[in-house]
Amino acid sequence: MKLIASEQGIYLLFKPLVKTEAIIVHQDQVVAAGSYEKLSTMPGISEETVFKKPLGPGFVDSHLHLDSLGFEALTKELHGRNIPSILEELKHYSRKIGEWKISGRLNPIYLEEGRMPVRSEIDKYLGNDPVLIVHQSGHVGVLNTLGVERALTILGNSEGLDVETGYIYESSLWKLLAHIRSQAGEGELAEAFSKGFEILQSNGVSAIGLAGIRLKELEALLEFYKREKVAVRTYAYVLVDELINKREELRKVLSQEYPRGLSVRGIKILIDGALGPRTALLRNDYSDAPGVRGMCNVSMDTIKEALKFSEENGLQLAMHAIGDAALDIALDALKSSANPGVHRIEHASLVRDDQLEPIKALKPIIVVQPRFILSDKWILSRVGQGRIRWVYRFKTLSRITTLVLSTDSPVEPVAPFETIYAAITRGLRDGIEYGYDHSSEALSILEALDSYTRGGAYALRDERLGCLLPGCYGDIVEYSEDPLKVKNIGEIRNINARLVSS
C-alpha cells in the first residue's frame, strides 16, 4: 500500500468540499483517507510520498479527440499572420499521411484576411500533393485542386464540397479525414496516441471521453493499451456511421474484453456543425448571413436507431448539438428514451428559454466547453444582440441538469485551469465585451472544479472517477498552487496541474 500526503493538503472532493492530509492507495484505488499521523501508523504501508504542493483528483475531460490531439501536436504549428505566409510554412513543414499533406488546425480569426484560404491560393504554393487544411472548429476544411480531385473520387460525389473554393464541409470532411487517417500505419497511430497521452498526463487529465472514434482507430488503440502502460483512462464513443455501415463488426467490438483503463461507452452522433463556419443549425437565420441557418447532418430516423441500439446494448448516446435547432432535435429524440438522463448532449452552445423546461424534465447530461467563450470572438455577429444571452448558459443549465466541463481538444487547449478560468470569468478579462450580457452564467471556482471532476465521472458513467474518497481511483493531480487560495481570479489560468499517480 502507498501512503500519499501533502504539506498543503489533499482535496478529495469539491462539492461538498472535502480536504484531508493523506490518503492510502492500494491496487489502483483509494482505501483510506485522513490525518497523516493516523494513516502513517497503519500496517502494510510499503511506500510513502509527501508532496510540498497541494493535491487533488485527476481531471476528467469527457469530450476530446485523442488521435487529432496527437497528430496535431506532432505537426508544426502555423504562425503566419496572413494566407501567403501560412501557405509558405505549410509548403515546407506540413506532415504527410500517405500521399496527403495535412496542416494543424487553422483559426482564420488571427489572419489578416480573417478567412480560410481558397483552392486557387493553395495551388500557388502546393500543387504536387493533395492538401487539406482544417478549420479550428473541425467542421470545415479546404483542399487544393489535387485534393478536390482525390476527394471527389473518395466520396463518390460533390455533396458537401464546393469545387470552386475547395471548401469541404461537415460529414464530407469527416469521411475524407477517415479515409486519410486510414492510410496512417500502425506506427503513426501509436505515435499519435503516445503524444496525446503525454500531453494529457502533463496537464493533470486522468480520464477522457473519445468524442467520436472509428473502429479501425479503436482497434489500434486497443493494441496500444495491450502493449503500453497507459496512465490515462479512456472511454470511447464510436461514430454513428460505424453503427449504420458496420453493425456486426461493431457488435464484435463491443463483445471484446478490454484491458484496464479502456472501454467503449457509447455512440457519437453529430446533429449539426459549428457556429464559426455557420454550419451549426439555428431556428432563425444567422445575424451576419441572412437566409443561412446551418446544416443538419443526420435524420431523426438515424438518431432513433442509434438511441435504440444504445439502450439495447447498455450504451450512451452522445449527440453533438451546438445550434438551438439542433438542440430541439436532440431533445425530441430523448422524449422516446426510457432513461433520457443516461444520455449526453454535447456543446448546447445556444439554448433558448423555451428549451429549459424540456431539459429540466429529461435531464440529459450536458457536456460544454467553456474555452469557446474566449475563442468565439465573432459570436455576437453570428447570433446578434437578441440571442447573445442564450449563449453558453452554464449556470442556468447547472441548476436543472448535470453540467460537465470539457475541452473538445485539440479545438481548445487541454490545460484544465484555462477551461476553469473561462467558466468563471466569461471573457470579461479578455476584452469579450458581450460577456456582460451573460455574466450571470459564470460558475464559481468550486462549481467549475466539481463539473470538471465529478461531473466528468457522471458523463462517463464511472463513479470512481474525479474524487479521492475511499473507493475512488487513485488518480492524483499535483497543482502548482492551491486553486482555492488564489487571490486574483486572473491567476487561475496560470495554475499548472500534472498527473502524479494513476
Side-chain angles (χ1 to χ4, degrees):
M1 295 192 300
K2 298 180 181 179
L3 174 64
I4 297 173
S6 167
E7 294 178 5
Q8 296 189 44
I10 304 175
Y11 291 106
L12 308 183
L13 197 66
F14 292 110
K15 196 176 177 182
L17 183 62
V18 181
K19 191 177 183 182
T20 191
E21 294 177 349
I23 60 174
I24 293 175
V25 177
H26 181 60
Q27 295 183 347
D28 199 32
Q29 184 172 298
V30 179
V31 295
S35 70
Y36 174 80
E37 182 180 4
K38 178 181 178 180
L39 295 188
S40 62
T41 60
M42 289 183 65
I45 302 294
S46 59
E47 183 180 337
E48 178 178 320
T49 305
V50 179
F51 290 85
K52 293 185 178 298
K53 300 288 187 178
L55 305 177
F59 288 102
V60 181
D61 197 329
S62 56
H63 183 121
L64 56 70
H65 308 274
L66 178 67
D67 56 342
S68 296
L69 174 63
F71 274 124
E72 293 184 25
L74 294 167
T75 302
K76 181 178 173 64
E77 275 190 53
L78 301 176
H79 295 290
R81 294 184 176 183
N82 52 43
I83 288 172
S85 61
I86 286 291
L87 296 177
E88 187 65 37
E89 284 187 69
L90 190 56
K91 179 180 178 180
H92 295 290
Y93 299 112
S94 58
R95 183 182 180 88
K96 289 189 77 171
I97 301 179
E99 66 172 338
W100 286 81
K101 277 199 168 187
I102 306 292
S103 77
R105 296 198 189 194
L106 178 62
N107 191 341
I109 195 172
Y110 297 114
L111 299 182
E112 292 171 0
E113 297 87 349
R115 61 171 176 83
M116 297 285 282
V118 296
R119 177 183 59 80
S120 59
E121 291 172 321
I122 303 174
D123 285 343
K124 293 176 183 177
Y125 292 82
L126 299 126
N128 297 325
D129 301 295
V131 174
L132 173 62
I133 302 172
V134 180
H135 186 279
Q136 179 71 17
S137 67
H139 288 266
V140 63
V142 60
L143 302 157
N144 65 348
T145 295
L146 193 53
V148 168
E149 292 171 0
R150 293 287 194 276
L152 288 170
T153 300
I154 293 162
L155 300 174
N157 58 60
S158 61
E159 184 179 349
L161 174 60
D162 185 329
V163 175
E164 180 63 28
T165 62
Y167 288 172
I168 182 168
Y169 299 91
E170 303 296 337
S171 59
S172 297
L173 170 62
W174 305 326
K175 288 175 186 176
L176 179 60
L177 278 170
H179 173 83
I180 294 171
R181 286 180 179 158
S182 72
Q183 298 181 28
E186 184 177 325
E188 288 178 296
L189 279 172
E191 185 183 14
F193 293 148
S194 180
K195 186 63 177 179
F197 284 131
E198 176 189 326
I199 293 168
L200 293 165
Q201 191 168 345
S202 66
N203 280 279
V205 177
S206 62
I208 58 173
L210 294 187
I213 189 169
R214 296 194 179 275
L215 296 181
K216 180 192 173 183
E217 293 160 347
L218 180 59
E219 190 63 35
L221 186 59
L222 174 59
E223 293 304 313
F224 184 86
Y225 263 86
K226 288 178 179 178
R227 290 193 312 270
E228 308 290 339
K229 186 177 180 180
V230 182
V232 178
R233 305 175 197 278
T234 300
Y235 303 76
Y237 292 78
V238 178
L239 286 166
V240 72
D241 292 358
E242 305 290 72
L243 167 63
I244 302 304
N245 301 320
K246 301 177 182 178
R247 185 178 297 255
E248 291 310 309
E249 187 178 342
L250 175 58
R251 289 188 187 278
K252 291 178 183 178
V253 166
L254 294 175
S255 66
Q256 288 187 76
E257 189 169 323
Y258 287 84
R260 169 209 168 276
L262 177 64
S263 60
V264 178
R265 269 299 182 266
I267 302 296
K268 170 71 181 298
I269 196 161
L270 291 107
I271 296 176
D272 68 343
L275 288 164
R278 301 181 187 85
T279 54
L281 190 64
L282 307 186
R283 187 170 72 170
N284 296 309
D285 294 357
Y286 279 83
S287 295
D288 58 356
V292 176
R293 296 190 179 186
M295 300 171 64
C296 183
N297 296 316
V298 67
S299 69
M300 180 60 84
D301 287 344
T302 297
I303 297 173
K304 289 187 174 180
E305 182 180 352
L307 181 61
K308 183 174 183 290
F309 181 88
S310 297
E311 295 191 335
E312 288 174 349
N313 290 275
L315 302 172
Q316 294 170 285
L317 184 61
M319 294 178 283
H320 168 118
I322 285 183
D324 60 331
L327 181 57
D328 284 332
I329 293 170
L331 294 172
D332 284 345
L334 288 179
K335 290 174 183 176
S336 64
S337 170
N339 189 5
V342 167
H343 303 294
R344 298 171 40 160
I345 294 176
E346 314 298 303
H347 310 302
S349 298
L350 195 65
V351 182
R352 302 188 310 270
D353 289 345
D354 64 290
Q355 292 173 315
L356 297 176
E357 196 56 42
I359 290 172
K360 183 178 180 180
L362 296 166
K363 288 194 167 24
I365 302 161
I366 295 186
V367 182
V368 300
Q369 298 73 36
R371 189 57 169 65
F372 285 0
I373 296 171
L374 306 186
S375 298
D376 297 353
K377 299 180 187 299
W378 33 255
I379 198 165
L380 181 59
S381 64
R382 294 289 189 277
V383 303
Q385 193 65 48
R387 290 181 288 192
I388 196 65
R389 68 183 185 84
W390 298 343
V391 170
Y392 307 127
R393 304 182 74 170
F394 302 153
K395 191 79 165 187
T396 297
L397 291 170
S398 71
R399 289 170 175 153
I400 58 177
T401 193
T402 301
L403 184 80
V404 180
L405 305 191
S406 68
T407 63
D408 201 10
S409 184
V411 175
E412 298 295 343
V414 169
F417 283 100
E418 184 72 14
T419 294
I420 289 169
Y421 168 82
I424 65 179
T425 65
R426 305 287 296 190
L428 291 178
R429 291 171 170 261
D430 296 84
I432 309 295
E433 293 183 6
Y434 58 79
Y436 289 101
D437 296 320
H438 50 67
S439 59
S440 62
E441 295 290 351
L443 299 179
S444 70
I445 179 66
L446 280 175
E447 289 170 332
L449 285 164
D450 179 67
S451 294
Y452 214 158
T453 51
R454 291 301 284 166
Y458 194 79
L460 298 176
R461 310 302 290 166
D462 191 339
E463 63 183 15
R464 295 167 292 179
L465 292 169
C467 65
L468 292 174
L469 297 168
C472 296
Y473 293 126
D475 299 341
I476 303 167
V477 163
E478 180 186 45
Y479 309 126
S480 60
E481 59 182 301
D482 193 325
L484 299 187
K485 293 182 179 179
V486 171
K487 294 179 180 179
N488 183 343
I489 195 171
E491 295 175 5
I492 285 286
R493 72 191 315 177
N494 298 323
I495 298 176
N496 297 315
R498 67 183 183 98
L499 194 59
V500 295
S501 178
S502 177

